[in-house]
Amino acid sequence: MPAKRTRRSDSSATAVDASPAKKSIKEEAVSSSEPTAVEPVSPEKKMDTSNSEEAEKMEVSKALKFDENEYVLSRSSDQDIADSSEITLKLKSVVNEMAKLKSKDVVNEADKNQMVQLKSEACVLVTLMRRLNRYGQIRCKLLREKSSAAKEKVDAKYLQLMNVQYEISHLKKEIQKCLNFKSKDEEIDLVSIEELKSNADAEIYDAEKVGDDPYLLKLAQLQFELSERKRLGGEFKESVRERAKVKAVIEQKKRTLHKLLPNVDEVIKATKPLEEALGVETFFSEIHDRVKHLPTPLFVLYCQATAYAEAFGDDSMVTVKVLGNPPESESSVDPSVLLSDEDDKDDANGASEQQSEDSRSSRGVASKGVEAGTSSDVVETPAAIVNKTGKLLKEHPMMVSIEVGVKDRLEKIEMVFSFLVCLNLVVVKPRLKTSPANSLTTVLTNLFPKDEGADTPNPSNYFMFEKYGVTSFSKLTRQTGFAYHWVQRICGVDFKTLRAGDAVKWEDSVAAHSLGQTVSMVQERVRSRIELARQVGSLEKKTVPLPPLCLEFYPTKLSTSILKFQPISSEEYRSGLKIDPSAFSEARENAMHFFAVLVKNFQSKEQLHAYIEVMQNYPSSCPVFNLRFSPVQSDLLTNWAALLRQLEEEANIKALQVCPKEHKSDLLTVQLYHLMCCFEVMTDSGRTSERVYPRQFKGRNRARPFTYKPNTGLFLFN
């Protein structure tokens, strides 16, 4: 049987009590409980002893009130570390002794008692270690509480700081608002101080009272402004009354004139036989009755063109006519009525109703109660866009036709001028009459430099195009006509001189300065266009009508001739030369004519393709030749690119030096004949041919002798 464990009552078994405070209290209690000699107690002493006992009890109760937190804070962490080290050493020695006792083979009674004593000491030491751990936990808890309390104070201070900063920023904003405040009087253009001093009454401005005080000066200016406005308001009311009186007088005169109108009509009818007999036109004639219905720009054009024709007589070669009928009503040619929002709303409502009907029919019977959509979600149909564009391009029903003839020729050009009422713009449709060049509708393009007619000259039209969805005005020129700058000038306005915000005014002075120059330019253009058409017609028949003055620069006979000459489109021109379409603008295509020529040397059997660009202002701008071999022969294969450049240089540059100025209109024929001659020299040199070449090649590029010497009949180098 193992020895029964007994609780050790010896005081030496306990090294440390629960706490030093408790130990002291226990000692005091034991000392107070020890027996003393009994003495007789008197009543007075009895009272004293009772009071002393109460005091001792109070002291004992105070001593018994032990605050562990205060005790932990009174100890330092170093002291806890020292105690922990000491207890650890003692516990280690106790454990070592217990291990020695357990290692003995024979255990006697003394060893057993010693083992029990060591176990008790080990338990006490472990308890002390746990107490030190508790002290550490309490210390951490107290420090956390202290840190949180400090954090709360810091947060409170920080919150107060933020509140103060917010108040400061709010006050700054309020101060800035006050500094930036603008009174209504600052928006008024007040009179100057000098004008105030000279015109203001003494009641408003008193020099002695006001002085140089800026506030009083401002107040005087405001009072003067108020008095002036009251005075002007009274004058305005008086002028309104006067206007009403004048309007009443005008209405009375209108009624009087209206009553006279039947009598005037009878007088006009009675004088018509006399006018026909005398062959005169009065203001009341039919032509003048129609002219008064013309819009302002066409009226200016008609007056100036008629005056020009009368001034020069038959030499002017100008005939003016009025086409069309007067409008049914003024509202039919009023831009504000044509472009009113009511029509747009009706179109939008109609489109929305049609869209809602289509959507309902597609949904089926299940969704009959659901609405199709609102008018704000309506997508404009193509019909609505076409309707808006048609309103925007509305023409006045009356037009002016001017025929310009060319001296010593039967051909004439007819120019029909129309007025687009909504765009406030005049357009022209040219047509060559009794001429083989009738198909060339862009005969007036670039009549003046950089005036292609592809864009509208009126700057305000671009905002209208953006509103009504018109992307390009150049696409509408075939339908409406060409809006050249010179057309606007001969009708009385020059848009290039107008500034932003200026109203468009059609004036006779602008048209008078431009009409004569324009007529002469048109006549010259028609003459050159007829000459170009004549040359094209001859070249299509494979004949080259070379001018007589140019015959001496070329041999009389050529073995090279034209196989094909035909006008081509811009697409065929680009595909033949393999040019990127982006390099051609629409304005450039409208300002050019394109021709394709196939030239063949019948001796060498070689062919040459020539693609020709002819500007609208021919012959002021020379035709441009672009060449291609078809096919490239074996002997030309090595340097065919250099040979092509030489031929293009001869046709585009050196041929111009041969053509005389009096035959400049035959420039296309001269260039083509020069090209044929150079092509023959290029193909014949280096081979056996009828011609003799003193020197066949020159330079690294193997250049040919293209210069013909009529005295010797040989081709030489320059």
Side-chain angles (χ1 to χ4, degrees):
M1 292 291 292
K4 196 173 185 179
R5 295 183 180 181
T6 59
R7 185 179 297 274
R8 188 178 179 186
S9 60
D10 193 2
S11 61
S12 62
T14 305
V16 184
D17 283 340
S19 65
K22 290 182 179 181
K23 183 177 179 181
S24 61
I25 293 170
K26 287 180 180 180
E27 290 176 355
E28 291 177 359
V30 170
S31 62
S32 62
S33 62
E34 292 180 356
T36 57
V38 179
E39 295 180 359
V41 181
S42 60
E44 293 82 2
K45 287 185 177 180
K46 205 171 191 178
M47 293 288 292
D48 295 337
T49 55
S50 61
N51 293 333
S52 62
E53 289 177 357
E54 290 179 359
E56 288 178 358
K57 288 180 180 180
M58 291 177 66
E59 291 178 357
V60 170
S61 63
K62 288 181 180 180
L64 290 175
K65 289 181 180 179
F66 174 69
D67 191 351
E68 189 176 13
N69 296 338
E70 293 181 359
Y71 177 72
V72 170
L73 292 176
S74 64
R75 292 172 58 88
S76 63
S77 59
D78 296 336
Q79 187 176 355
D80 290 347
I81 292 171
D83 292 346
S84 175
S85 301
E86 184 180 356
I87 292 171
T88 302
L89 293 175
K90 290 181 179 180
L91 183 60
K92 187 176 181 180
S93 64
V94 170
V95 171
N96 291 333
E97 291 178 3
M98 291 174 66
K100 291 179 181 180
L101 291 176
K102 286 184 179 182
S103 63
K104 290 181 178 181
D105 297 335
V106 179
V107 180
N108 53 19
E109 190 65 25
D111 294 334
K112 292 180 180 179
N113 294 333
Q114 188 178 359
M115 179 64 73
V116 171
Q117 184 179 359
L118 291 173
K119 288 181 179 179
S120 300
E121 289 181 2
C123 291
V124 171
L125 291 173
V126 170
T127 304
L128 292 176
M129 287 292 291
R130 294 187 66 182
R131 186 185 67 175
L132 291 176
N133 183 35
R134 176 177 174 79
Y135 286 170
Q137 298 292 337
I138 292 172
R139 184 179 287 108
C140 290
K141 177 183 176 183
L142 293 176
L143 290 175
R144 281 196 297 269
E145 291 177 355
K146 188 176 180 181
S147 299
S148 62
K151 286 182 180 179
E152 289 178 358
K153 290 181 180 180
V154 171
D155 292 341
K157 295 293 184 182
Y158 182 74
L159 182 61
Q160 292 178 2
L161 176 62
M162 291 293 103
N163 292 336
V164 171
Q165 288 182 350
Y166 176 76
E167 290 179 1
I168 291 172
S169 63
H170 179 70
L171 292 174
K172 286 182 178 179
K173 290 180 181 178
E174 293 297 327
I175 292 170
Q176 192 64 33
K177 285 182 181 179
C178 295
L179 293 175
N180 295 335
F181 175 75
K182 291 184 178 181
S183 179
K184 290 293 183 181
D185 62 287
E186 296 181 6
E187 300 176 1
I188 303 173
D189 295 333
L190 300 176
V191 296
S192 61
I193 303 299
E194 293 76 10
E195 186 177 355
L196 176 68
K197 293 179 180 179
S198 59
N199 298 334
D201 298 335
E203 298 177 356
I204 296 176
Y205 176 75
D206 190 354
E208 296 179 357
K209 293 181 180 179
V210 175
D212 295 332
D213 190 352
Y215 173 74
L216 296 178
L217 286 173
K218 191 75 170 181
L219 188 60
Q221 286 178 317
L222 292 172
Q223 291 177 352
F224 181 75
E225 181 72 20
L226 179 60
S227 63
E228 286 294 310
R229 292 195 177 194
K230 288 181 179 179
R231 181 181 62 80
L232 293 175
E235 293 180 359
F236 173 74
K237 292 180 180 178
E238 184 65 26
S239 63
V240 169
R241 287 193 291 268
E242 292 293 332
R243 180 175 175 272
K245 294 178 181 178
V246 173
K247 189 175 181 180
V249 174
I250 292 173
E251 292 295 332
Q252 180 64 30
K253 292 181 178 180
K254 281 184 178 180
R255 288 193 293 268
T256 304
L257 293 174
H258 185 69
K259 293 178 181 179
L260 293 175
L261 185 60
N263 298 330
V264 174
D265 292 337
E266 292 180 0
V267 172
I268 293 172
K269 291 179 182 179
T271 56
K272 272 189 177 181
L274 181 60
E275 292 177 5
E276 294 175 357
L278 297 177
V280 295
E281 292 183 358
T282 62
F283 180 78
F284 301 101
S285 61
E286 183 179 357
I287 184 63
H288 287 88
D289 187 53
R290 295 184 62 194
V291 166
K292 69 180 182 181
H293 295 286
L294 286 172
T296 303
L298 297 185
F299 181 79
V300 172
L301 175 62
Y302 176 81
C303 294
Q304 294 299 322
T306 305
Y308 180 84
E310 291 178 356
F312 291 94
D314 296 336
D315 295 335
S316 65
M317 307 291 290
V318 173
T319 305
V320 187
K321 297 179 183 178
V322 177
L323 305 178
N325 298 317
E328 297 178 357
S329 61
E330 293 296 332
S331 60
S332 62
V333 291
D334 188 359
S336 60
V337 177
L338 291 173
L339 300 178
S340 61
D341 295 335
E342 295 180 359
D343 297 339
D344 297 341
K345 291 179 180 178
D346 295 339
D347 296 339
N349 294 333
S352 62
E353 291 175 1
Q354 182 65 27
Q355 185 179 5
S356 63
E357 291 176 1
D358 296 340
S359 60
R360 289 194 187 102
S361 61
S362 61
R363 289 174 189 168
V365 181
S367 59
K368 287 183 178 179
V370 182
E371 294 183 359
T374 59
S375 60
S376 60
D377 299 329
V378 172
V379 179
E380 289 189 347
T381 61
I385 296 175
V386 171
N387 188 20
K388 288 183 177 180
T389 307
K391 291 180 179 179
L392 191 65
L393 302 177
K394 176 71 174 179
E395 294 183 359
H396 196 278
M398 299 191 70
M399 296 166 285
V400 173
S401 172
I402 299 179
E403 288 187 1
V404 179
V406 182
K407 192 174 182 180
D408 300 331
R409 291 188 177 274
L410 299 176
E411 291 83 5
K412 294 182 179 181
I413 181 172
E414 181 184 13
M415 298 179 292
V416 179
F417 296 87
S418 305
F419 180 63
L420 305 180
V421 294
C422 296
L423 298 180
N424 200 12
L425 200 66
V426 182
V427 295
V428 62
K429 294 179 182 179
R431 186 171 67 91
L432 287 173
K433 302 176 67 176
T434 64
S435 172
N438 188 22
S439 60
L440 305 177
T441 57
T442 56
V443 64
L444 298 178
T445 302
N446 284 327
L447 186 66
F448 291 88
K450 297 181 180 180
D451 193 2
E452 299 172 352
D455 297 326
T456 170
N458 191 350
S460 62
N461 294 157
Y462 292 100
F463 301 99
M464 304 177 72
F465 291 161
E466 183 178 358
K467 178 180 179 181
Y468 291 96
V470 178
T471 57
S472 175
F473 181 75
S474 60
K475 296 179 180 179
L476 305 174
T477 53
R478 298 288 180 180
Q479 174 187 353
T480 60
F482 297 90
Y484 300 112
H485 283 276
W486 60 266
V487 173
Q488 319 308 316
R489 287 196 297 269
I490 64 175
C491 290
V493 68
D494 190 359
F495 286 102
K496 292 183 178 180
T497 60
L498 291 181
R499 298 180 180 177
D502 292 348
V504 179
K505 296 181 180 179
W506 307 89
E507 300 176 353
D508 294 335
S509 58
V510 179
H513 287 88
S514 304
L515 186 60
Q517 181 186 7
T518 303
V519 170
S520 61
M521 294 285 288
V522 170
Q523 290 175 341
E524 185 63 29
R525 174 61 61 84
V526 172
R527 184 182 292 105
S528 62
R529 187 52 53 86
I530 293 171
E531 291 294 331
L532 177 61
R534 178 185 58 80
Q535 295 178 67
V536 170
S538 300
L539 294 174
E540 287 178 348
K541 297 177 182 179
K542 303 178 183 179
T543 59
V544 185
L546 193 66
L549 296 178
C550 298
L551 292 175
E552 59 178 341
F553 299 105
Y554 300 101
T556 55
K557 293 183 180 180
L558 292 177
S559 60
T560 303
S561 63
I562 299 175
L563 288 182
K564 184 190 295 184
F565 184 95
Q566 62 180 6
I568 59 175
S569 63
S570 59
E571 291 79 7
E572 294 173 341
Y573 179 84
R574 291 196 301 265
S575 62
L577 295 177
K578 298 180 181 180
I579 299 176
D580 187 7
S582 61
F584 269 73
S585 62
E586 186 176 357
R588 183 183 177 190
E589 292 181 359
N590 292 334
M592 288 185 180
H593 303 297
F594 303 99
F595 301 96
V597 185
L598 179 59
V599 179
K600 181 178 180 181
N601 188 342
F602 288 95
Q603 290 185 358
S604 60
K605 306 298 182 182
E606 291 179 352
Q607 298 179 358
L608 177 68
H609 284 281
Y611 296 90
I612 308 173
E613 300 178 16
V614 180
M615 299 290 185
Q616 291 290 349
N617 58 346
Y618 172 86
S620 298
S621 295
C622 305
V624 179
F625 283 70
N626 295 278
L627 307 179
R628 294 291 183 272
F629 285 131
S630 175
V632 178
Q633 299 297 330
S634 58
D635 57 342
L636 300 176
L637 189 60
T638 55
N639 60 341
W640 66 270
L643 294 175
L644 276 181
R645 286 196 297 270
Q646 294 172 21
L647 288 178
E648 288 179 351
E649 181 182 359
E650 291 290 332
N652 294 322
I653 299 176
K654 295 186 178 179
L656 308 181
Q657 303 172 2
V658 179
C659 183
K661 293 183 179 179
E662 55 268 21
H663 289 280
K664 193 175 182 180
S665 58
D666 296 324
L667 186 58
L668 176 62
T669 303
V670 174
Q671 286 182 273
L672 184 55
Y673 196 87
H674 187 88
L675 175 64
M676 293 168 58
C677 183
C678 294
F679 179 64
E680 182 173 336
V681 172
M682 186 189 69
T683 54
D684 288 347
S685 59
R687 303 178 184 178
T688 57
S689 62
E690 298 178 357
R691 300 189 185 280
V692 178
Y693 299 97
R695 186 179 179 184
Q696 295 181 350
F697 307 106
K698 180 182 178 181
R700 183 180 300 175
N701 294 330
R702 313 276 293 175
R704 269 50 169 187
F706 293 131
T707 304
Y708 180 73
K709 300 297 182 181
N711 298 330
T712 60
L714 301 176
F715 284 90
L716 304 175
F717 292 97
N718 286 332

